Amino acid sequence: MPEIRNYTINFGPQHPAAHGVLRLVLEMDGEVIERADPHVGLLHRGTEKLAEDKPYNHSVPYMDRLDYVSMMCNEHGYVSAIEKLLGVEPPERALYIRTLFDEVTRILNHLMWLGAHGLDIGAMTMFLYCFREREDLMDAYEAVSGARLHSAYYRVGGVYRDLPDAMPRFERKHLKDPSEAKALNRNREGSLIDFLDDFADRFPGLVDEYETLLTDNRIWKQRTVGIGVVAPERALQLGFSGPMLRGSGFEWDLRKKQPYAAYDRVDFDVPVGVNGDSYDRYLVRVEEMRQSARIMKQCCQWLRDNPGPVMVDDHKIAPPPRGEMKADMEALIHHFKLFTEGYCTPVGEVYSAVEAPKGEFGIYIVSDGSNKPYRLKIRAPGFPHLAAMDEMAKGHMLADVVAIIGTMDIVFGEIDR
Amino acid sequence: MNESVTETTQDSPARQRVDALQAALESAFGDTAVGIERFRNELTLELTADRLLDTAARLRDEAPFVFEQLIDVCGVDYAAYGQDEWTTDAASLSGFGRGVERMDLSEPDPDRRFAAVYHLLSIKHNHRLRIRVRLDGEMPRAPSVIAVWNAADWFEREAFDLYGILFEGHPDLRRILTDYGFIGHPFRKDFPLIGQVEMRYDPEKRRVVYQPVSIEKRPNVPRVIRAQAGPGEEPQPPQDAADA
């Protein structure tokens, strides 16, 4: 009789379903996973070490490049940690803008997740629909910060600038069929707030469309129900957070439990799963998108009614206005000092966490009183999730590995840092 | 904004939770811990390495704590703590020095140089705690908390990879973030930011070769410590690494 051995196969790092640069070494017994050993670090750039070599405000753009599909939430974690260290509170309008854009970011992230997850396990249409809506939200990113992805919009003490009064429009000369311009620009006639408000109105209907395609779809359920089940006590032990924890039945959301920005002043619900499988996590994330649209609506209303400053008036940490610098010597000196040396923080250490779309994104800063963080540690939500790969994949079929990677919502920018 | 920033409000629920936790920690670990610090409404429990495991198990299981979740484990290298590269506190006859004084980290003091920092979260009581364990030696050792919180697995591998902290009892202490065959622990303060080796294709050998880096590190912005730190803060002199 021939000897029967376990088969070891290599999955990735160049594989379309590996969501970036995941290398998985899988020990197989036939088509069943015996052990999954993820090899990470192929995207390690040493973000934390780089940040330790730069003044505080130089590292904001690095945060965009961590979890590169939920950019502003990473920035939020970073600037809120520095604000906590400095003891600075941004103006209320900045808090609402952050809340609004955190939710824009959450929808961006969940759409990316839904599209990619769908594509991985055979629902190709989802990808196209999700990217249609992502396009609108990235236009909002561009309108507010000038960049579609790496925005660097949140700054210590507030946000870079107020929301623009006009939304960029499609130009006739760039369109194949110029008569389309009017229809394309239908919701871009007003300000950015009008555009996002309109989006929040439209979006629940679009989520209904996604759900018609997936929620009761037999193939979708066959691929996700009972796949990657995580029991509640295991979810705690494994350090899960965000939708991964809520999918296992914990009603735990930092936006509710340890509110930051304006989350204690907006109304929303926290969806919770029951079975802790991929399907429940799908339902949780889809409901989160609806709730995000609800929060966006409330923020738009508040922002319309309450104009005001979006940055603290302390020029030791926030740059003075350009016009002022041209006439005022003190403003010029402030600008020069801020952009050359930065500011020194008090001695101490802080940890600040935000509910990023993937889970708890935390920043731990050790300060020795200098103008650079002495130690910056980024607590990426995806890191403990991927660490549970072995436990979640064990006993499943090879094809389910792709579904499990999908349900974890893995992005290597933040895992490898 | 953050509960912690509004720490001026005396009786916010967040503050009361921290007060309660601090009192419980003091009564439970007052005699065994090195110290309990509170800064910006966050609690830090400093422990010695030999007390870590039993304290961790008690923190997870005992009623006033119930830290079900280990949020994060990270290493810290205190070798350059409190050092600056630019003198700002004294002017000479010719004015302030303009030259950058490079920090000398060729022979760091191994005594209490490293620390392992653990962040805990209790979902039941909605509070957080930080544990700091200072470690001695060039290859510091700490007990692994993987049996108490399974989430420690990859976090400890990362701290080992980046700082060289050996977690005793960890079943699989491999490198995680650095390349296969990497030498050194890159996040140590005596490891240069630009690295030790660079990689290029050698047309003669017809393969990729590693060689010592040919560029020199240039600090774009010197590290500066000013006594008057932060807006609206009391002046706080930089503390020595030992009593931080």
Side-chain angles (χ1 to χ4, degrees):
Chain A
M1 198 173 152
E3 188 192 352
I4 298 172
R5 285 184 300 139
N6 276 354
Y7 219 75
T8 305
I9 67 164
N10 182 57
F11 176 98
Q14 299 293 333
H15 187 286
H19 285 213
V21 285
L22 170 65
R23 181 181 169 205
L24 267 176
V25 179
L26 300 168
E27 273 177 36
M28 313 287 298
D29 176 17
E31 221 182 311
V32 177
I33 313 286
E34 295 267 282
R35 178 167 172 266
D37 180 19
H39 287 211
V40 301
L42 287 104
L43 200 62
H44 180 59
R45 293 147 296 179
T47 305
E48 294 154 354
K49 180 117 178 159
L50 286 166
E52 285 163 23
D53 201 58
K54 289 177 172 51
Y56 284 94
N57 50 6
H58 288 198
S59 300
V60 175
Y62 275 129
M63 297 301 136
D64 295 322
R65 285 148 180 86
L66 290 169
D67 179 355
Y68 44 75
V69 293
S70 45
M71 296 70 68
M72 288 203 197
C73 288
N74 306 341
E75 289 171 21
H76 200 165
Y78 182 66
V79 297
S80 72
I82 300 172
E83 280 160 4
K84 192 175 191 180
L85 188 59
L86 290 168
V88 174
E89 184 151 8
E92 199 175 11
R93 187 171 169 86
L95 297 182
Y96 270 92
I97 293 178
R98 285 182 183 179
T99 311
L100 173 64
F101 271 90
D102 272 13
E103 295 313 311
V104 168
T105 308
R106 196 174 314 278
I107 295 178
L108 269 173
N109 177 82
H110 283 3
L111 285 175
M112 178 78 208
W113 162 79
L114 185 60
H117 189 27
L119 189 63
D120 283 349
I121 52 180
M124 185 161 178
T125 341
M126 286 315 299
F127 199 71
L128 306 173
Y129 282 124
C130 291
F131 268 66
R132 181 185 63 189
E133 271 69 70
R134 270 174 66 83
E135 201 59 33
D136 279 348
L137 292 176
M138 285 197 286
D139 283 348
Y141 256 54
E142 188 175 1
V144 82
S145 73
R148 286 160 58 83
L149 295 167
H150 301 310
S151 52
Y153 178 57
Y154 293 9
R155 303 290 166 88
V156 176
V159 294
Y160 167 55
R161 61 177 181 189
D162 206 344
L163 304 173
D165 290 330
M167 187 69 196
R169 293 179 204 158
F170 289 97
E171 286 183 35
R172 294 174 67 93
K173 61 182 177 188
H174 293 144
L175 293 171
K176 266 189 192 150
D177 179 6
S179 58
E180 281 180 352
K182 199 168 161 51
L184 284 171
N185 288 330
R186 185 191 53 79
N187 50 11
R188 292 166 189 257
E189 301 298 331
S191 66
L192 174 63
I193 297 181
D194 297 333
F195 179 75
L196 286 174
D197 203 20
D198 173 69
F199 182 87
D201 282 337
R202 277 188 299 133
F203 190 63
L206 299 167
V207 179
D208 290 341
E209 285 182 16
Y210 311 150
E211 287 214 82
T212 357
L213 281 173
L214 295 179
T215 304
D216 292 323
N217 181 322
R218 190 154 53 92
I219 305 174
W220 181 257
K221 286 181 99 166
Q222 280 171 347
R223 292 303 307 271
T224 52
V225 174
I227 301 296
V229 180
V230 182
E233 61 279 5
R234 291 306 298 161
L236 287 178
Q237 265 288 325
L238 293 166
F240 280 14
S241 53
M244 297 288 286
L245 188 61
R246 290 194 282 277
S248 292
F250 288 96
E251 196 197 339
W252 179 262
D253 189 320
L254 291 180
R255 296 176 293 170
K256 280 270 190 227
K257 301 287 180 180
Q258 300 175 1
Y260 54 96
Y263 281 112
D264 50 349
R265 282 159 274 179
V266 291
D267 199 25
F268 64 101
D269 298 321
V270 178
V272 172
V274 178
N275 304 314
D277 60 0
S278 299
Y279 187 68
D280 278 21
R281 289 186 283 268
Y282 154 76
L283 292 176
V284 165
R285 288 190 175 110
V286 166
E287 182 55 32
E288 275 182 29
M289 289 201 278
R290 294 180 191 275
Q291 296 298 329
S292 291
R294 199 171 144 202
I295 299 173
M296 279 170 67
K297 218 48 218 142
Q298 297 167 52
C299 289
C300 286
Q301 187 56 47
W302 192 93
L303 287 165
R304 250 195 215 114
D305 299 343
N306 295 278
V310 293
M311 193 64 142
V312 287
D313 195 27
D314 181 348
H315 296 322
K316 296 276 184 254
I317 56 166
R322 188 50 64 175
E324 209 175 284
M325 274 161 50
K326 301 198 192 274
D328 182 12
M329 189 65 193
E330 198 180 339
L332 189 66
I333 295 171
H334 268 134
H335 180 269
F336 177 74
K337 284 305 275 183
L338 183 64
F339 284 99
T340 53
E341 188 182 299
Y343 38 81
C344 293
T345 54
V347 180
E349 43 196 274
V350 291
Y351 177 82
S352 176
V354 295
E355 182 76 25
K358 294 185 170 59
E360 177 172 332
F361 179 90
I363 294 280
Y364 170 52
I365 296 178
V366 180
S367 163
D368 62 348
S370 77
N371 56 340
K372 303 173 181 180
Y374 183 76
R375 168 81 168 112
L376 176 78
K377 165 75 197 204
I378 299 155
R379 194 273 179 191
F383 193 75
H385 295 164
L386 187 61
M389 183 75 206
D390 183 41
E391 188 169 326
M392 284 173 77
K394 201 171 282 181
H396 281 302
M397 308 287 267
L398 178 59
D400 295 330
V401 168
V402 175
I404 292 170
I405 295 172
T407 192
M408 284 180 187
D409 199 3
I410 295 294
V411 161
F412 275 87
E414 56 158 18
I415 290 173
D416 292 348
R417 282 157 285 152
Chain B
M1 67 157 287
N2 276 330
E3 291 178 329
S4 45
V5 171
T6 50
E7 62 186 314
T8 40
T9 41
Q10 283 300 319
D11 39 83
S12 73
R15 203 184 169 83
Q16 285 170 358
R17 286 199 300 272
V18 178
D19 287 339
L21 176 61
Q22 186 171 14
L25 285 170
E26 268 159 10
S27 69
F29 306 113
D31 46 342
T32 55
V34 178
I36 298 168
E37 293 162 31
R38 184 166 175 167
F39 177 72
R40 298 275 187 254
N41 229 12
E42 293 180 7
L43 287 171
T44 308
L45 178 67
E46 177 141 7
L47 295 171
T48 52
D50 54 326
R51 299 310 300 245
L52 177 62
L53 272 186
D54 59 317
T55 313
R58 286 180 65 191
L59 284 172
R60 185 191 61 185
D61 297 330
E62 285 183 11
F65 311 118
V66 204
F67 288 103
E68 311 104 326
Q69 273 205 308
L70 176 69
I71 287 293
D72 186 46
V73 180
C74 70
V76 183
D77 176 4
Y78 282 97
Y81 192 85
Q83 292 183 33
D84 55 6
E85 298 168 316
W86 202 20
T87 315
T88 51
D89 50 356
S92 68
L93 278 176
S94 53
F96 284 106
R98 290 289 181 268
V100 173
E101 296 161 28
R102 205 72 55 78
M103 284 185 276
D104 178 27
L105 290 169
S106 50
E107 279 178 39
D109 180 12
D111 194 32
R112 287 160 57 80
R113 175 178 167 190
F114 293 97
V117 180
Y118 304 77
H119 284 93
L120 310 180
L121 170 68
S122 167
I123 287 193
K124 186 172 178 216
H125 296 309
N126 191 8
H127 53 210
R128 291 177 187 275
L129 176 68
R130 180 184 304 124
I131 301 178
R132 195 191 312 114
V133 181
R134 297 293 291 257
L135 306 165
D136 290 324
E138 262 306 290
M139 291 307 280
R141 285 159 189 276
S144 170
V145 295
I146 197 165
V148 186
W149 295 288
N150 296 165
D153 184 354
W154 275 26
F155 287 123
E156 289 183 344
R157 278 177 68 186
E158 183 194 321
F160 160 72
D161 189 3
L162 302 179
Y163 285 94
I165 298 169
L166 295 168
F167 290 92
E168 291 173 322
H170 191 289
D172 187 19
L173 201 63
R174 283 177 293 156
R175 284 185 180 274
I176 184 164
L177 289 180
T178 52
D179 200 0
Y180 304 112
F182 189 87
I183 297 166
H185 300 287
F187 276 29
R188 290 188 171 192
K189 290 287 175 183
D190 50 358
F191 192 97
L193 184 73
I194 53 167
Q196 311 273 25
V197 289
E198 62 186 24
M199 194 176 79
R200 69 175 173 88
Y201 178 73
D202 189 325
E204 281 165 22
K205 290 179 185 156
R206 304 183 71 180
R207 63 178 172 86
V208 170
V209 293
Y210 287 88
Q211 62 190 34
V213 281
S214 53
I215 46 173
E216 201 175 310
K217 183 188 185 304
R218 185 172 59 99
N220 293 327
V221 181
R223 193 182 171 78
V224 170
I225 297 180
R226 292 189 186 273
Q228 181 77 48
E233 279 296 321
E234 288 296 306
Q236 280 174 307
Q239 288 169 316
D240 221 355
D243 52 39

